[in-house]
């Protein structure tokens, strides 16, 4: 049997492990992205970058809940031009998450990030916290198809489309992304939710609603991955409540080819990547697998 390896190929990118940080949990500094890669992630994902600098929402923007985290940062970022000035290629895979308030913005930012020399783009059309301001493209499959096609025309890089779990038919949206040329689907972004303080009798976040991540999100995102895998051919990057090797294996069995870690990375830090690698390697040894793709989607065969 060949030697066990966690390395994968994802939309033409060679990654040393199938794990990455989820967008938004880091900034855009090259040093911190490099630390993620050195800590065992196959790729590092930036905070979402938009066309102009944004301060984001007022505090409180963040609260720990019993089974996860609720946040409404409001897409704070220094803008694509700033990123272009600071970033000029790397020797490890960097995936740039990006957004816009309309199709033209998405195309403009995609061009700037391509020029900056990142390895792939992750199209964030599913932020739950700027809906009044820019809507949520991921709620409508036609919009997702159109923005994906426009971005694909504007870049030679692989484009991953990150979808929202807050929709009735995620398969329809994933199919639209695939038909428009997406190279992979990231499933999923956070789920729109709310927390209320009983004593203060007010919503806790200044934005009132926020995006729920962590363990509470896992069974929902896992179901999304399952459904997308049954209907779409392009690879799926699972995201939502991956805390330990068992969660990771469940996502692979449901059909994910790679995984992003958000809340667990925020709470446990850099060690989470090697912990996942060790646990998944142990599982592979016990089950006689030498490559991840030998068991991707396996739960559909039973
Ligand atoms: C934010 C953006 C997201 O895509 C998300 O899932 C959660 C929060 C934000 O910046 O508010």
């Amino acid at each position: 049997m060949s030697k066990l390896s966690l390395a994968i190929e994802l939309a033409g990118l060679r990654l040393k492990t199938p794990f990455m940080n989820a967008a938004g949990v880091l900034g855009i500094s090259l040093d911190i992205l490099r630390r993620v890669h050195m800590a065992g992630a196959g790729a590092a994902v930036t905070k979402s970058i938009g066309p102009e600098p944004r301060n984001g929402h007022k505090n409180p923007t963040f609260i720990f809940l019993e089974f996860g985290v609720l946040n409404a940062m409001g897409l704070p970022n220094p803008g694509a031009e700033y990123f272009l000035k600071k970033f000029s290629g790397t020797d490890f895979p960097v995936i740039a998450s990006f957004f816009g308030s309309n199709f033209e913005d998405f195309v403009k930012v995609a061009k700037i990030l391509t020029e900056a020399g990142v390895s792939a783009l992750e199209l964030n059309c599913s932020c739950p916290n700027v809906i009044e301001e820019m809507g949520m493209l991921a709620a409508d499959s036609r919009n997702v198809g159109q923005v994906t096609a426009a971005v694909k025309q504007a870049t030679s890089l692989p484009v991953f489309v990150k979808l929202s779990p807050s929709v009735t038919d995620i398969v329809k949206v994933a199919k639209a992304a695939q038909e428009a040329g997406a190279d992979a689907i990231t499933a999923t972004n956070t789920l729109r939710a709310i927390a209320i303080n009983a004593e203060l009798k007010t919503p806790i976040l200044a934005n009132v609603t926020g995006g729920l991540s962590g363990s509470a999100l896992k069974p929902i995102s896992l179901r999304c991955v399952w459904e997308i895998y049954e209907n779409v051919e392009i690879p799926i990057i699972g995201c939502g409540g991956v805390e330990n090797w068992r969660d990771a294996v469940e996502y692979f069995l449901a059909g994910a080819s790679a995984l992003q870690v958000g809340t667990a990375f925020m709470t446990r830090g850099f060690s989470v990547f090697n912990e996942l690698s060790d646990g998944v390697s142990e599982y592979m040894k016990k089950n006689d697998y030498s490559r991840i793709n030998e068991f991707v989607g396996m739960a559909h065969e039973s």
Side-chain angles (χ1 to χ4, degrees):
M1 205 174 88
S2 57
K3 204 164 144 272
L4 188 151
S5 166
L6 291 178
I8 62 161
E9 203 196 300
L10 178 71
L13 304 182
R14 286 174 181 285
L15 309 184
K16 66 180 178 181
T17 74
F19 307 114
M20 3 176 150
N21 65 290
V25 297
L26 289 175
I28 59 166
S29 122
L30 186 56
D31 286 347
I32 198 130
L33 296 169
R34 176 171 279 117
R35 271 187 78 189
V36 168
H37 183 252
M38 282 169 52
V45 184
T46 67
K47 172 105 191 104
S48 290
I49 300 161
E52 305 294 340
R54 279 178 66 91
N55 289 327
H57 293 321
K58 292 204 184 85
N59 283 323
T61 51
F62 197 93
I63 178 168
F64 282 94
L65 301 174
E66 204 177 345
F67 298 107
V69 166
L70 191 65
N71 91 87
M73 310 304 289
L75 296 170
N77 81 99
E81 292 293 348
Y82 178 89
F83 184 77
L84 180 60
K85 263 194 242 137
K86 293 278 166 190
F87 190 95
S88 51
T90 60
D91 48 1
F92 64 95
V94 170
I95 300 168
S97 170
F98 74 111
F99 70 94
S101 49
N102 53 48
F103 293 168
E104 291 73 37
D105 276 357
F106 272 100
V107 167
K108 177 179 149 192
V109 180
K111 284 184 177 158
I112 296 172
L113 297 176
T114 305
E115 199 183 325
V118 299
S119 318
L121 301 178
E122 185 175 80
L123 195 161
N124 181 4
C125 53
S126 45
C127 175
N129 299 328
V130 287
I131 292 179
E132 286 81 13
E133 198 184 331
M134 47 181 113
M136 202 224 293
L137 282 181
D140 182 319
S141 59
R142 263 170 318 176
N143 282 341
V144 170
Q146 278 177 27
V147 75
T148 304
V151 165
K152 278 296 289 178
Q153 276 217 320
T155 184
S156 50
L157 295 174
V159 176
F160 308 156
V161 179
K162 187 165 182 178
L163 299 185
S164 171
S166 311
V167 295
T168 39
D169 188 356
I170 199 164
V171 168
K172 194 169 167 196
V173 191
K175 277 184 173 166
Q178 173 173 266
E179 272 157 33
D183 297 279
I185 300 287
T186 306
T188 65
N189 210 316
T190 54
L191 182 65
R192 201 158 181 239
I194 193 165
I196 291 179
N197 183 312
E199 277 74 36
L200 298 178
K201 305 181 178 85
T202 64
I204 292 170
L205 300 182
N207 188 54
V208 181
T209 60
L212 179 68
S213 61
S215 304
L217 182 59
K218 194 193 85 178
I220 299 165
S221 299
L222 194 61
R223 183 266 300 166
C224 292
V225 168
W226 176 278
E227 290 181 340
I228 296 168
Y229 184 81
E230 296 230 319
N231 292 281
V232 165
E233 275 80 53
I234 53 178
I236 305 164
I237 304 163
C239 182
V242 177
E243 297 269 346
N244 54 42
W245 69 265
R246 196 175 280 281
D247 300 323
V249 167
E250 289 171 21
Y251 268 101
F252 292 131
L253 294 171
S257 298
L259 290 175
Q260 294 182 349
V261 186
T263 301
F265 174 55
M266 269 191 300
T267 50
R268 307 218 305 270
F270 292 96
S271 62
V272 74
F273 298 109
N274 280 339
E275 285 162 19
L276 287 170
S277 290
D278 290 348
V280 170
S281 299
E282 210 40 53
Y283 174 85
M284 287 168 69
K285 259 185 242 155
K286 281 199 188 117
N287 288 275
D288 271 347
Y289 295 129
S290 56
R291 294 285 180 281
I292 298 280
N293 63 12
E294 289 167 28
F295 58 106
V296 167
M298 188 77 142
H300 294 258
E301 288 167 27
S302 55

